[in-house]
Amino acid sequence: MARQPKITFIGAGSTVFMKNIIGDALQRPALKDAKIALMDINPERLAESEIVAGKLAKTLGSKAEITTHTNQRDALDGADFVVVAFQIGGYEPATVTDFEVPKKYGLRQTIADTLGIGGIMRGLRTVPHLWSICEDMMQVCPEAIMLQYVNPMAINTWAIAEKYPKIKQVGLCHSVQGTAGELARDLDIPYEEIRYRSAGINHMAFFLKFEHRQKDGSYRDLYPDLVRGYREGRFPKPSGWNPRCPNKVRYEMLTRLGYFVTESSEHFAEYTPYFIKEGREDLIEKFGIPLDEYPIRCVEQIAKWKDQAAEYKKADEIKVEQSKEYASSIMNSVWTGEPSVIYGNVRNNGCITSLPANCAAEVPCLVDASGIQPTYVGDLPPQLTALIRTNVNVQELTVAALVNENREHLYHAAMMDPHTAAELDLDQIWSLVDDLLTAHHDWIPEWARTA
């Protein structure tokens, strides 16, 4: 009998996300009877996830062997795939702190999990624990592939590649396929008829091509339709999932750059200096920018997850639908050799020749029995490269701070952030970083703590 793959899930207390990833995997014949190791530091949430995973297996007729662990290395022992999804410090107090302290300086944010002062602090909290996973993987599953779903994705991926270059890893996000679906909806074109190619960095990649397959087999460029629809006021259509997020920022940037970015308008508004500005409430209103969106979303999601988890615990069986996450596709391709293409965050290594070789790039990747193989993109259009570099600067300095245990680089990273630099002077930036380091004292490395 062929050996079954072992899938370890670090942060399995995120019950609903675990349900999506494990549910996807158990629907694939080659993974149906996999060994599933669930790990979390919260025994209560871990127990809830164990119940849900067991019911998933029952619903799908799976013979999956499900184990639970509070010890990370035990969970990783012998793993083939390691799914990582956690948030150090949680919504409270860490996320709340990342919003409330900057507000005292007049610095407003929307999401604060990727770039900016919030992204820097989240990276400082997150990377050391990712490194601890890498250290354990080197000892007990050195050939496993890490499927990393943690923000700040680019900082995390870059930092892992710097300190643990032998770890096989990919950062996974659903922004590329999610945005393609949103645009197909605006255009009233079936998603399966769209062809696209995207490249850049996580949360700031761009569709280099966005086309519609014609009946004769040719493809038509859809960018003129998108620009025309925006200028005529038809696009974007009202949000299909969050009325607070009207998606106007990305359409505006399309008219300025010629390309559509793959992460949401609420994210993109805080990666640039153009939209959130002191005394410019007209911009907030014009582009529908949802300030403090992430804390609001967290409260809603926590309540929703709690209700969903309770329902799952009561149900005899759990309805399972395939999600749009890439994890199960990667596992299936590596395990069976059946090829697939995903968008992954990896060390650039010359894939995008206009960006630094050591940065974390988001590019199309071929996946098969040989693993995850990033594809060559070449130079991006110069305006896209220039804008992306402003974000890479912040990522690079944050990683340098972590790798070299150099607190000064945290100030430098904040200095280089486009939004922070547009709003605060140097003394304010230094003081803000100090205040955040003090507030996050319990969640950050000792070298970063203020005296």
Side-chain angles (χ1 to χ4, degrees):
M1 183 176 176
R3 181 174 79 86
Q4 297 300 312
K6 179 176 178 179
I7 303 168
T8 295
F9 198 115
I10 304 294
S14 301
T15 303
V16 177
F17 188 66
M18 179 282 302
K19 176 248 181 189
N20 290 340
I21 299 298
I22 299 303
D24 286 350
L26 297 184
Q27 289 180 76
R28 294 184 180 271
L31 309 174
K32 185 177 180 181
D33 298 326
K35 295 180 179 180
I36 309 294
L38 306 178
M39 183 270 163
D40 201 277
I41 60 173
N42 186 319
E44 181 180 348
R45 294 180 64 177
L46 183 60
E48 292 177 350
S49 290
E50 181 182 21
I51 292 170
V52 171
K55 291 180 179 179
L56 278 176
K58 178 183 176 182
T59 300
L60 294 168
S62 164
K63 298 177 182 178
E65 177 187 328
I66 300 167
T67 59
T68 60
H69 309 263
T70 54
N71 181 282
Q72 180 173 283
R73 185 170 290 200
D74 288 348
L76 289 167
D77 193 11
D80 298 291
F81 305 100
V82 178
V83 181
V84 182
F86 60 80
Q87 183 180 350
I88 300 298
Y91 162 63
E92 291 183 311
T95 295
V96 172
T97 298
D98 283 341
F99 276 83
E100 294 305 314
V101 174
K103 275 185 192 176
K104 295 176 182 178
Y105 291 81
L107 186 63
R108 300 173 296 174
Q109 301 171 97
T110 53
I111 305 294
D113 71 349
T114 297
L115 205 74
I117 196 67
I120 293 166
M121 291 298 144
R122 195 173 177 124
L124 185 61
R125 298 192 302 271
T126 303
V127 167
H129 190 65
L130 286 170
W131 280 344
S132 80
I133 296 172
C134 292
E135 183 63 33
D136 284 347
M137 287 177 66
M138 292 298 294
Q139 299 301 317
V140 299
C141 58
E143 297 303 313
I145 297 176
M146 178 190 282
L147 309 178
Q148 195 249 120
Y149 277 98
V150 186
N151 280 322
M153 181 71 66
I155 288 171
N156 296 342
T157 304
W158 192 333
I160 290 170
E162 286 293 315
K163 192 162 185 176
Y164 289 91
K166 291 185 179 180
I167 289 290
K168 300 173 184 177
Q169 60 142 339
V170 62
L172 297 173
C173 181
H174 49 246
S175 61
V176 174
Q177 64 270 43
T179 294
E182 288 182 77
L183 293 180
R185 175 178 173 268
D186 281 355
L187 291 160
D188 290 319
I189 295 174
Y191 176 78
E192 58 271 15
E193 295 180 10
I194 300 287
R195 180 176 76 171
Y196 58 83
R197 183 170 174 80
S198 169
I201 60 173
N202 182 240
H203 288 187
M204 197 180 273
F206 292 84
F207 288 114
L208 305 178
K209 289 184 178 180
F210 200 78
E211 301 170 324
H212 182 206
R213 185 175 69 249
Q214 305 298 290
K215 291 182 179 179
D216 64 1
S218 63
Y219 284 85
R220 183 174 68 86
D221 181 14
L222 288 171
Y223 269 137
D225 292 4
L226 290 171
V227 172
R228 187 182 311 112
Y230 177 61
R231 287 180 170 157
E232 292 175 357
R234 293 182 288 109
F235 301 159
K237 292 181 179 178
S239 174
W241 73 281
N242 188 337
R244 293 188 301 269
C245 302
N247 207 22
K248 294 179 181 178
V249 167
R250 291 196 287 177
Y251 270 97
E252 182 67 21
M253 291 302 290
L254 166 63
T255 68
R256 310 289 179 158
L257 297 172
Y259 297 87
F260 204 91
V261 72
T262 59
E263 188 46 81
S264 67
S265 287
E266 58 267 27
H267 279 85
F268 196 75
E270 66 181 8
Y271 303 159
T272 61
Y274 313 123
F275 298 99
I276 307 173
K277 304 177 82 66
E278 183 68 26
R280 293 299 307 276
E281 299 310 301
D282 58 311
L283 294 175
I284 303 299
E285 183 177 354
K286 178 180 179 180
F287 294 105
I289 296 168
L291 296 170
D292 293 331
E293 170 62 20
Y294 190 58
I296 295 170
R297 196 177 293 179
C298 284
V299 171
E300 292 174 347
Q301 287 178 339
I302 289 168
K304 183 179 179 181
W305 291 343
K306 188 175 181 180
D307 290 342
Q308 283 185 323
E311 289 177 13
Y312 293 151
K313 285 172 68 176
K314 293 176 184 177
D316 291 330
E317 295 185 344
I318 296 175
K319 183 180 179 181
V320 184
E321 296 178 353
Q322 199 76 28
S323 81
K324 60 184 178 182
E325 306 294 349
Y326 286 130
S328 71
S329 176
I330 293 170
M331 296 178 203
N332 183 69
S333 291
V334 171
W335 199 252
T336 67
E338 178 185 342
S340 63
V341 175
I342 59 108
Y343 279 86
N345 292 272
V346 295
R347 192 178 193 274
N348 185 21
N349 286 341
C351 290
I352 300 177
T353 46
S354 53
L355 295 180
N358 61 339
C359 79
E362 187 171 81
V363 295
C365 300
L366 171 67
V367 191
D368 59 19
S370 296
I372 298 166
Q373 301 154 72
T375 62
Y376 176 81
V377 174
D379 280 358
L380 297 177
Q383 71 274 26
L384 303 187
T385 296
L387 188 60
I388 289 170
R389 280 176 178 163
T390 67
N391 283 217
V392 168
N393 290 337
V394 181
Q395 296 161 5
E396 182 172 27
L397 285 161
T398 305
V399 172
L402 285 153
V403 170
N404 300 312
E405 299 187 356
N406 183 339
R407 201 174 81 192
E408 289 297 306
H409 286 327
L410 297 174
Y411 303 108
H412 301 152
M415 274 178 68
M416 299 300 164
D417 175 61
H419 176 44
T420 303
E423 296 289 289
L424 305 184
D425 64 35
L426 290 171
D427 286 341
Q428 289 175 312
I429 291 171
W430 251 248
S431 181
L432 171 57
V433 171
D434 283 339
D435 286 354
L436 282 166
L437 293 179
T438 298
H440 286 306
H441 180 278
D442 294 342
W443 306 104
I444 60 177
E446 186 174 353
W447 59 264
R449 296 170 185 169
T450 53

